[in-house]
């Protein structure tokens, strides 16, 4: 999916890396004549690309960024206490990932725009991608919670 560039870093070899607002990093090398990104060689050029969109395949693959940290969790939900709002499509805000962690039973987790429809269990965690609408549905008796992740401060 398309994600805006929020900044730039350099990897250990000095190659430029775009930081996207989902937390993922993406190399943006200038390596003519194969890869032409002359803008990446100057600070002015890089600044001019802030807010531009890059396609992030890691978001499409539900990859929670490795360096993100947990900062908050919901109470335990059961099939009876799960708020109606979570059963309908909803999403986390920009840059906020989450894990749906099932302690008992099973939960159906649907992400229509990513064509995902999965069954979560104590063996299978669900990953919530920032800003992507999703919904959950208890399958019988269950207990689970949601843990939120963001970039380290
Ligand atoms: Zn991403």
């Amino acid at each position: 999916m398309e994600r805006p560039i929020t900044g730039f870093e350099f990897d250990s070899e000095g190659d430029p890396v775009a930081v996207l607002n989902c937390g993922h990093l993406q190399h943006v090398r200038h390596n003519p004549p194969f890869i032409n990104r002359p803008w990446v060689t100057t600070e002015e050029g890089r600044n001019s690309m802030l807010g531009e969109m890059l396609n992030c395949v890691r978001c499409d693959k539900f990859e929670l960024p490795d360096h993100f940290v947990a900062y908050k969790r919901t109470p335990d939900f059961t099939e009876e206490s799960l708020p109606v709002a979570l059963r309908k499509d909803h999403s986390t805000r920009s840059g906020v990932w989450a894990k749906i962690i099932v302690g008992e039973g099973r939960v159906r987790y649907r992400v229509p725009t990513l064509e995902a429809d999965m069954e979560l269990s104590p063996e299978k965690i669900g990953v919530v991608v920032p800003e992507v609408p999703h919904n959950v549905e208890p399958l019988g008796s269950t207990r689970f919670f949601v843990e939120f992740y963001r970039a380290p401060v």
Side-chain angles (χ1 to χ4, degrees):
M1 70 189 65
E2 299 283 298
R3 294 293 199 187
I5 299 173
T6 59
F8 292 91
E9 293 177 1
F10 293 89
D11 70 10
S12 57
E13 293 175 6
D15 285 331
V17 178
V19 182
L20 307 181
N21 85 331
C22 52
H24 289 132
L25 307 176
Q26 201 168 115
H27 274 106
V28 281
R29 294 185 180 92
H30 177 50
N31 187 21
F34 308 105
I35 306 172
N36 278 291
R37 292 194 189 96
W39 54 265
V40 83
T41 58
T42 64
E43 187 172 0
E44 191 183 8
R46 292 190 295 274
N47 285 341
S48 75
M49 292 299 282
L50 294 175
E52 293 293 316
M53 296 288 189
L54 290 180
N55 184 36
C56 189
V57 295
R58 288 181 176 168
C59 276
D60 295 337
K61 289 194 269 185
F62 294 83
E63 286 182 25
L64 199 156
D66 289 336
H67 62 294
F68 270 37
V69 292
Y71 69 98
K72 190 171 77 171
R73 57 159 281 183
T74 65
D76 277 356
F77 298 125
T78 66
E79 70 282 7
E80 281 164 7
S81 71
L82 179 65
V84 173
L86 301 189
R87 299 174 191 253
K88 297 189 273 193
D89 275 357
H90 64 284
S91 59
T92 60
R93 62 180 194 277
S94 171
V96 175
W97 289 77
K99 285 181 185 171
I100 302 169
I101 300 171
V102 178
E104 286 171 27
R106 292 172 305 130
V107 174
R108 188 168 181 188
Y109 172 43
R110 289 194 201 90
V111 190
T113 55
L114 292 176
E115 293 175 7
D117 183 343
M118 45 193 128
E119 205 170 287
L120 308 180
S121 66
E123 290 76 43
K124 179 158 173 61
I125 284 173
V127 172
V128 176
V129 184
E131 303 175 82
V132 176
H134 60 278
N135 62 75
V136 292
E137 176 194 348
L139 297 173
S141 172
T142 188
R143 183 174 52 78
F144 68 99
F145 65 93
V146 182
E147 187 169 50
F148 298 93
Y149 287 74
R150 65 183 172 197
V153 278

